Amino acid sequence: MSGGGDSLAMLYLAVEAGCDVAVATVDHGLRPEAAAEAAAVAGVCAGLGVPHEILHWHWDGAGNLQDAARRGRTALLADWAQRRGLRTVALGHTEDDIAETFLMRLARDAGVDGLAAMAARREVAGVVFLRPLLAASRADLRAWLLGRGLPWADDPSNEDERFDRVRARRALAAMAEVGAGGAEIAALAAKMADVRAALEAATADAAARILRVDAGDVIVDVGGLAAQPAEIRRRLLLATLIWIASAEYGPRGAEMERFVAAALEGRPATLAGCKTSHARGRMRVTRELRAVAALECPADALWDGRWRVSGPETNGLTLRALGEAGLASCPDWRAAAHPRATLLASPAVWHGEVLVAAPLAGFGAGWAAQCHPPKGPLGAAPLSH
């Protein structure tokens, strides 16, 4: 909760509704006034008898500031909720936020997914994030606060035209004069969300028929892929890359178009830490060894975002990719019936430089590797047994 009108209205509404509420404010450390604003929120919460905590985020200077702040804020809130045993976090986004996001993404040449309305519900690290105010406008909430004599703080960065959202907000104000304001844009975004849902359903249907998940790879029937509409082809392969690379977002634009073209023409390709190979009308998409060669974690931890290994003993052992040297220590790897490229990038258990187990390569009695199954449309693809 920032102390702005949207989040403050949500707090009062939640308290009035009798909800069991706790509040967190994220201080991004980007403005000197932020500490005083967070303290003011703490004062409001104290007056309502609501627990409040200030969370501090620090930008490391890498990447886009606003995107980094958004990701950092979400991670902090998810961690805070987990620490307090909270299963749900409510965010104060309104229909104005939907409209502003729509315009910003339109300027970035976003497709249907990018232009669809903000999700009213999503889950991050086991915590459900809700946006209960998406049907309300910012003006509605501020009128409600004014009617009760409740003050709020305006973030001065909301006037800083260096930020895309500020420019989008001003553009919306101008568009409202011709009847295309926040409510109309938000309604259009909702229609795009319906289109996205229909495309995801069609993608899942195609995935069930022409994809197969095998040892952490995805095998594609290239003839079946070619028979799909272009958008479904793109979605199938994008979902495949996102799952194999454990990525939040997939590649876009020309590089994705080149990847799809290579798939249809039977040419090998690499993209987003994944590589393809072709045989007998099938394309196998697998993890690229180079993308995971430096990954190392304790043997009982999640590796590469989707693999867990179990075995007789994990203390003091680590997980790394099997790699060339590891595969050379697996005399029976050909009996495992997995391609060499798949095994090279598969998880292996190490004690220093000594290979302990490589479950996919059939090395190490009593060890097993489990890959988290894909979600979303790709989850409809059958698993190999």
Side-chain angles (χ1 to χ4, degrees):
M1 179 177 158
S2 66
D6 303 346
S7 60
L8 198 64
M10 185 173 66
L11 169 62
Y12 284 116
L13 286 166
V15 171
E16 281 194 16
C19 298
D20 185 11
V21 179
V23 171
T25 298
V26 178
D27 182 352
H28 299 85
L30 300 173
R31 296 182 296 111
E33 306 89 348
E37 292 165 5
V41 174
V44 171
C45 290
L48 293 170
V50 171
H52 177 260
E53 186 175 343
I54 300 173
L55 312 175
H56 296 276
W57 178 76
H58 172 71
W59 186 37
D60 61 7
N64 177 276
L65 170 59
Q66 289 199 305
D67 183 58
R70 180 184 59 80
R71 292 168 185 265
R73 181 168 57 249
T74 301
L76 283 172
L77 290 172
D79 178 68
W80 167 76
Q82 289 173 336
R83 282 192 287 106
R84 295 189 61 91
L86 303 172
R87 291 182 297 177
T88 304
V89 173
L91 304 173
H93 292 110
T94 66
E95 73 174 17
D96 298 84
D97 293 296
I98 295 176
E100 291 158 11
T101 301
F102 184 98
L103 285 190
M104 289 190 293
R105 291 178 177 175
L106 185 64
R108 296 170 192 156
D109 196 26
V112 170
D113 292 356
L115 298 178
M118 289 177 165
R121 182 190 188 281
R122 67 173 181 143
E123 188 170 326
V124 178
V127 177
V128 175
F129 283 72
L130 298 178
R131 293 185 171 107
L133 301 180
L134 289 180
S137 71
R138 192 169 292 136
D140 291 339
L141 297 177
R142 294 187 175 199
W144 187 85
L145 289 169
L146 282 172
R148 286 160 176 75
L150 300 171
W152 67 88
D154 283 318
D155 181 347
S157 65
N158 287 335
E159 302 298 323
D160 189 340
E161 290 205 353
R162 292 177 299 170
F163 297 124
D164 292 343
R165 185 169 294 279
V166 175
R167 294 196 294 273
R169 187 169 299 169
R170 293 185 175 173
L172 276 173
M175 292 169 65
E177 296 179 6
V178 294
E184 291 75 18
I185 299 293
L188 177 57
K191 292 175 182 174
M192 298 300 278
D194 291 341
V195 174
R196 178 178 62 186
L199 288 170
E200 286 184 348
T203 304
D205 179 68
R209 291 183 285 107
I210 67 172
L211 302 187
R212 180 162 54 88
V213 175
D214 178 65
D217 296 348
V218 174
I219 300 172
V220 183
D221 176 338
V222 176
L225 181 71
Q228 300 301 314
E231 177 62 15
I232 302 303
R233 291 198 295 261
R234 188 191 68 82
R235 285 174 175 270
L236 286 167
L237 296 186
L238 183 63
T240 295
L241 293 175
I242 289 174
W243 177 61
I244 293 177
S246 297
E248 186 175 358
Y249 303 107
R252 302 170 52 193
E255 60 181 3
M256 191 64 208
E257 291 176 9
R258 287 193 291 271
F259 186 77
V260 175
L264 297 176
E265 294 166 7
R267 293 185 285 109
T270 60
L271 184 60
C274 303
K275 61 185 295 185
T276 65
S277 58
H278 291 258
R280 297 185 292 278
R282 299 284 189 274
M283 178 179 75
R284 177 179 281 265
V285 189
T286 192
R287 195 69 161 123
E288 189 179 13
L289 173 59
R290 187 173 55 178
V292 294
L295 296 181
E296 184 170 12
C297 67
D300 58 355
L302 185 69
W303 184 78
D304 195 24
R306 60 186 187 132
W307 286 99
R308 284 198 183 277
V309 169
S310 59
E313 177 60 64
T314 58
N315 285 342
L317 305 179
T318 62
L319 284 182
R320 300 202 309 267
L322 181 59
E324 296 282 358
L327 192 64
S329 300
C330 301
D332 300 323
W333 69 265
R334 289 180 176 81
H338 298 308
R340 187 172 185 276
T342 300
L343 296 177
L344 289 174
S346 69
V349 184
W350 297 83
H351 185 251
E353 296 305 314
V354 177
L355 180 66
V356 176
L360 266 63
F363 181 82
W367 290 88
Q370 293 290 330
C371 184
H372 287 185
K375 297 181 180 178
L378 196 62
L383 305 176
S384 291
H385 297 287

